Amino acid sequence: MASTFTPLHDRILVRRLEEGETLRGGIIIPDSAKEKPQQGTVISVGKGKSNDEGKVFPLDVKAGDTVLFGKYSGTEIKLEGEDLLIMREEEVLGILK
């Protein structure tokens, strides 16, 4: 699946976690009106951020981590029929344990 894709530098590839169907007052909310989840699982990570001298600093986020990110973070991409997000590590708000 997405294991053939490796992000560059300090970018990470994230799959959004799916939320259950929400009922409000007995009304089913359609997909177009639902907010997208702000949690996801990291699929793959880049090598790290480099400075002006070329030294590479590894990322704190690892593949398999569950992360929390902002509502408008990252860029949505479709890879092998699956909707994924690619974002910089600095857009991640925290790692959930």
Side-chain angles (χ1 to χ4, degrees):
M1 192 225 12
S3 60
T4 59
F5 181 83
T6 303
L8 296 176
H9 309 293
D10 65 333
R11 290 180 175 82
I12 61 173
L13 186 65
V14 177
R15 178 186 300 122
R16 285 187 195 267
L17 292 179
E18 294 299 321
E19 291 184 354
E21 191 170 298
T22 308
L23 295 175
R24 301 249 168 109
I27 300 172
I28 297 174
I29 300 172
D31 288 339
S32 59
K34 289 182 184 177
E35 285 194 16
K36 294 183 178 176
Q38 296 176 12
Q39 292 182 23
T41 304
V42 177
I43 306 296
S44 61
V45 298
K47 299 248 184 249
K49 193 168 192 165
S50 58
N51 63 8
D52 294 336
E53 290 94 37
K55 184 176 180 185
V56 177
F57 298 98
L59 302 179
D60 294 328
V61 179
K62 297 178 283 309
D65 285 349
T66 301
V67 294
L68 183 67
F69 49 86
K71 186 181 284 190
Y72 302 106
S73 297
T75 303
E76 294 182 358
I77 62 169
K78 190 168 216 131
L79 191 61
E80 297 181 14
E82 187 174 8
D83 291 326
L84 302 170
L85 279 174
I86 188 163
M87 64 180 75
R88 292 186 177 273
E89 185 189 37
E90 62 193 27
E91 294 180 89
V92 173
L93 303 174
I95 300 171
L96 300 171
K97 303 233 178 202

